[in-house]
Amino acid sequence: MVTPEINIRRALPEDADLVSHLSTITFEDTFRGTCTDDDLQSFVDYAFTAGGILNELKDEDDLYFIAYCNNIAAGYMRLKEDYKDYPAIKKYKALELKRIYVLKEYQSKKIGAALMAYALQVAEQKNYEVLWLGVWEHNEKAKSFYKKWGFTDTGDTHPFPIGNTPQTDHWMIKFIEKR
Ligand SMILES: CC(C)(COP(=O)(O)OP(=O)(O)OC[C@H]1O[C@@H](n2cnc3c(N)ncnc32)[C@H](O)[C@@H]1OP(=O)(O)O)[C@@H](O)C(=O)NCCC(=O)NCCS
């Protein structure tokens, strides 16, 4: 089997359409069936517009990265220092992994692993003490992926409604080793 070539780069304002497309497709593929189609549609129409993502890409502190597999955009992630959703984490210099999504047909090919390794490198280079994230309580695949990377469940949860469908996320955390 030929090992796929995985490359990761910072997303730029001119990538807004691509990131909006990746965000919409991967979110729909992940959460379809866990809420009503109307709820899913209203959520992606609100959260992943090219205009909204363009503003985020223009923000120096809002870090989007795109993962390419053999030169095809196959996944993305978003990192940001943002304590508003989880004030308790403020006791650390903390970086949030806001999103990590790989296109369905490219999953389980170590693209998620490449993005996570990159996220940890960014966190270490910027002297963060922890990397943290929220994961839907029933997303077993993602939870096992995060546990494999050394994240632990804090036991803290928060509501993450999709439209009118209530869902609950768990906060997970990983301490950044000081080299
Ligand atoms: C979670 C995700 C980012 C992982 O990226 P990936 O490229 O698929 O994963 P990798 O190939 O790097 O790593 C695979 C690991 O994922 C986990 N995993 C993969 N498929 C799994 C499955 N069906 N069930 C449980 N764990 C699974 C395992 O830990 C696996 O490790 P292993 O290969 O040693 O068994 C990706 O699967 C994805 O985008 N899923 C849908 C979107 C999502 O849930 N994002 C996170 C929201 S919080």
Side-chain angles (χ1 to χ4, degrees):
M1 190 187 81
V2 182
T3 310
E5 188 198 330
I6 301 172
N7 292 297
I8 295 172
R9 71 166 172 84
R10 176 87 186 266
L12 307 168
E14 51 263 38
D15 296 311
D17 288 339
L18 171 59
V19 174
S20 168
H21 173 74
L22 282 173
S23 305
T24 302
I25 298 291
T26 54
F27 192 90
E28 289 177 342
D29 283 348
T30 305
F31 292 98
R32 185 174 291 110
T34 73
C35 57
T36 66
D37 288 351
D38 288 352
D39 283 335
L40 188 61
Q41 195 58 52
S42 64
F43 186 92
V44 296
D45 289 349
Y46 161 76
F48 305 132
T49 63
I53 287 176
L54 177 60
N55 291 334
E56 292 160 359
L57 290 169
K58 286 178 178 169
D59 176 352
E60 258 310 298
D61 302 321
D62 204 332
L63 312 176
Y64 274 89
F65 297 91
I66 302 169
Y68 288 83
C69 180
N70 298 336
N71 301 317
I72 295 169
Y76 81 104
M77 72 175 169
R78 182 187 181 192
L79 298 168
K80 193 176 183 187
E81 184 173 346
D82 182 356
Y83 302 96
K84 77 179 176 308
D85 293 338
Y86 189 24
I89 202 83
K90 244 193 208 135
K91 60 183 172 218
Y92 304 112
K93 182 175 166 48
L95 182 65
E96 182 182 3
L97 175 55
K98 281 185 171 291
R99 299 202 200 116
I100 182 166
Y101 286 83
V102 176
L103 285 170
K104 210 168 202 147
E105 61 271 31
Y106 286 92
Q107 289 176 13
S108 301
K109 298 180 190 313
K110 303 299 175 204
I111 294 166
L115 284 165
M116 185 61 82
Y118 202 99
L120 292 167
Q121 207 182 350
V122 170
E124 193 187 326
Q125 281 162 359
K126 294 174 180 285
N127 296 316
Y128 284 100
E129 295 171 285
V130 301
L131 185 65
W132 62 284
L133 57 91
V135 59
W136 182 44
E137 61 184 337
H138 302 304
N139 190 342
E140 299 310 329
K141 182 174 182 176
K143 288 191 312 186
S144 94
F145 171 75
Y146 296 138
K147 286 183 182 136
K148 213 177 75 137
W149 279 87
F151 285 83
T152 55
D153 192 323
T154 63
D156 296 332
T157 65
H158 78 291
F160 189 97
I162 298 184
N164 299 319
T165 302
Q167 293 198 350
T168 299
D169 278 18
H170 285 233
W171 294 129
M172 298 185 81
I173 186 174
K174 177 181 170 68
F175 289 90
I176 307 298
E177 284 129 37
K178 289 271 170 281
R179 289 180 206 260

